[in-house]
Amino acid sequence: MKAELRKKILQEMKTLSQEQKQAMDRDLTERFLQHPFYQEAKVIATYLSFPHEFQTQELIERVLKDGKKVLIPKTYPKGRMEFVVYHPQQLAKTSFGLLEPQGDLEVVEPSQIDLIHVPGLAFTTEGYRIGYGGGYYDRYLEHFAGQSLSTIYPCQVQEFNFENHDIPVQEVLIYEGNL
């Protein structure tokens, strides 16, 4: 069931035009930057996006411009993930085609992170999510006491049954404009 839903939403996300995506990304970036969670945060963890996802590059640049610290995930086998300080010169492509930090990385403890911007494919309006199947974020959020926020396209809002180990994000920003 999850696999089918993942496939369906990936398809829908990939059919969005560049213009649609750019309009939604701009709107969601602004809403993220105006959100109280962001305004109060000094250390923000986000992700480096796949082409079909909400694009985080502009968000990252704006966060840095605001003088806040940006962290990005570094993943390890068995679903382990850490957040490290973002340095563009340390990025290299992984086997998944995603950029990931390499080399001498500055790991930041979960207790030092104010806000995590969480990726995913499908979300319920209550913040439960279906990610890409690695379980990295569920494991991480389980022991995370700060705020969490996701930015998503309308096609990503779905109803599905979550499991008891699923950890919801605190708030989901959904694009609400006209396409």
Side-chain angles (χ1 to χ4, degrees):
M1 141 87 193
K2 273 189 180 176
E4 276 167 39
L5 195 55
R6 275 192 190 103
K7 217 158 83 185
K8 172 176 138 358
I9 290 166
L10 260 174
Q11 277 319 112
E12 288 187 32
M13 289 170 82
K14 286 177 175 171
T15 58
L16 293 166
S17 73
Q18 274 311 105
E19 293 73 31
Q20 287 175 318
K21 274 185 63 31
Q22 281 166 353
M24 292 195 287
D25 288 351
R26 266 198 306 272
D27 177 76
L28 289 168
T29 298
E30 291 309 324
R31 286 178 52 207
F32 185 97
L33 295 170
Q34 285 159 18
H35 196 284
F37 287 179
Y38 172 75
Q39 307 256 308
E40 289 155 23
K42 289 180 177 58
V43 180
I44 291 140
T46 185
Y47 54 97
L48 301 170
S49 27
F50 283 115
H52 60 268
E53 290 180 307
F54 168 80
Q55 293 301 295
T56 54
Q57 196 50 50
E58 189 190 331
L59 182 68
I60 290 171
E61 286 162 19
R62 300 273 299 270
V63 174
L64 291 170
K65 218 192 259 154
D66 283 346
K68 300 180 189 239
K69 192 181 255 186
V70 174
L71 311 178
I72 54 170
K74 168 76 180 157
T75 56
Y76 300 93
K78 298 193 170 61
R80 193 168 79 79
M81 176 173 79
E82 291 178 329
F83 282 102
V84 303
V85 177
Y86 171 75
H87 293 295
Q89 67 282 9
Q90 283 186 326
L91 300 178
K93 267 207 157 88
T94 65
S95 52
F96 291 116
L98 259 190
L99 287 171
E100 201 172 68
Q102 307 292 336
D104 188 14
L105 305 171
E106 190 188 329
V107 175
V108 177
E109 291 307 306
S111 61
Q112 303 297 302
I113 303 173
D114 301 312
L115 172 61
I116 297 183
H117 180 217
V118 183
L121 282 169
F123 290 80
T124 66
T125 46
E126 301 83 45
Y128 284 95
R129 52 182 280 285
I130 293 178
Y132 292 90
Y136 295 102
Y137 280 87
D138 282 327
R139 282 190 195 87
Y140 199 93
L141 291 169
E142 205 179 332
H143 307 289
F144 177 67
Q147 323 276 185
S148 55
L149 196 57
S150 293
T151 44
I152 64 168
Y153 303 147
C155 66
Q156 293 175 268
V157 180
Q158 300 286 332
E159 282 308 315
F160 53 84
N161 297 329
F162 46 89
E163 291 150 40
N164 50 14
H165 61 82
D166 290 341
I167 310 280
V169 288
Q170 287 169 304
E171 207 161 318
V172 184
L173 300 180
I174 305 159
Y175 176 76
E176 289 161 353
N178 297 321
L179 286 184

